[in-house]
Short mmCIF file of all heavy atoms in Angstrom, two decimals:
data_model
loop_
_atom_site.label_atom_id
_atom_site.label_comp_id
_atom_site.label_asym_id
_atom_site.label_seq_id
_atom_site.Cartn_x
_atom_site.Cartn_y
_atom_site.Cartn_z
N PRO A 375 10.53 -9.33 -23.40
CA PRO A 375 11.79 -9.57 -23.20
C PRO A 375 12.62 -8.29 -23.81
O PRO A 375 12.04 -7.65 -24.59
CB PRO A 375 12.03 -10.78 -24.20
CG PRO A 375 10.92 -10.78 -25.15
CD PRO A 375 9.68 -10.16 -24.36
N VAL A 376 13.91 -8.26 -23.45
CA VAL A 376 14.64 -7.18 -23.99
C VAL A 376 14.75 -7.19 -25.45
O VAL A 376 14.88 -6.04 -26.04
CB VAL A 376 16.11 -7.34 -23.31
CG1 VAL A 376 17.02 -6.33 -24.00
CG2 VAL A 376 16.14 -7.11 -21.84
N ALA A 377 14.57 -8.27 -26.12
CA ALA A 377 14.74 -8.26 -27.56
C ALA A 377 13.66 -7.39 -28.18
O ALA A 377 13.95 -6.95 -29.29
CB ALA A 377 14.50 -9.73 -28.12
N VAL A 378 12.47 -7.20 -27.65
CA VAL A 378 11.57 -6.36 -28.28
C VAL A 378 12.02 -4.87 -28.27
O VAL A 378 11.78 -4.16 -29.22
CB VAL A 378 10.06 -6.37 -27.65
CG1 VAL A 378 9.45 -7.72 -27.76
CG2 VAL A 378 10.09 -5.88 -26.12
N GLY A 379 12.71 -4.50 -27.21
CA GLY A 379 13.27 -3.13 -27.23
C GLY A 379 14.64 -3.06 -27.96
O GLY A 379 14.86 -2.08 -28.67
N ASP A 380 15.35 -4.18 -28.23
CA ASP A 380 16.51 -4.23 -29.17
C ASP A 380 16.15 -3.90 -30.54
O ASP A 380 16.88 -3.34 -31.22
CB ASP A 380 17.21 -5.50 -28.94
CG ASP A 380 17.98 -5.73 -27.70
OD1 ASP A 380 18.26 -4.70 -27.13
OD2 ASP A 380 18.33 -6.88 -27.41
N TYR A 381 14.99 -4.51 -30.92
CA TYR A 381 14.70 -4.43 -32.30
C TYR A 381 13.41 -3.78 -32.88
O TYR A 381 13.51 -3.19 -34.07
CB TYR A 381 14.64 -5.89 -32.76
CG TYR A 381 15.86 -6.66 -32.53
CD1 TYR A 381 15.86 -7.78 -31.76
CD2 TYR A 381 17.11 -6.38 -33.17
CE1 TYR A 381 16.99 -8.58 -31.52
CE2 TYR A 381 18.05 -7.16 -32.96
CZ TYR A 381 18.11 -8.14 -32.16
OH TYR A 381 19.29 -8.79 -31.96
N ILE A 382 12.43 -3.64 -32.20
CA ILE A 382 11.15 -3.29 -32.76
C ILE A 382 10.25 -2.27 -32.07
O ILE A 382 9.40 -1.73 -32.58
CB ILE A 382 10.29 -4.62 -33.06
CG1 ILE A 382 9.20 -4.41 -34.22
CG2 ILE A 382 9.59 -5.15 -31.76
CD1 ILE A 382 9.94 -4.46 -35.58
N ALA A 383 10.40 -2.12 -30.69
CA ALA A 383 9.33 -1.35 -29.94
C ALA A 383 9.29 0.11 -30.40
O ALA A 383 8.24 0.63 -30.63
CB ALA A 383 9.64 -1.55 -28.49
N GLY A 384 10.42 0.82 -30.46
CA GLY A 384 10.42 2.15 -30.70
C GLY A 384 11.51 3.01 -29.99
O GLY A 384 12.17 3.90 -30.63
N PRO A 385 11.51 2.93 -28.72
CA PRO A 385 12.65 3.57 -27.91
C PRO A 385 13.98 3.07 -28.35
O PRO A 385 14.07 1.87 -28.69
CB PRO A 385 12.31 3.25 -26.54
CG PRO A 385 10.84 2.80 -26.39
CD PRO A 385 10.61 2.15 -27.71
N SER A 386 14.96 3.93 -28.43
CA SER A 386 16.32 3.44 -28.86
C SER A 386 16.89 2.54 -27.81
O SER A 386 16.76 2.60 -26.61
CB SER A 386 17.23 4.74 -28.90
OG SER A 386 18.48 4.28 -29.39
#
Side-chain angles (χ1 to χ4, degrees):
V376 168
V378 298
D380 282 344
Y381 298 119
I382 203 78
S386 178

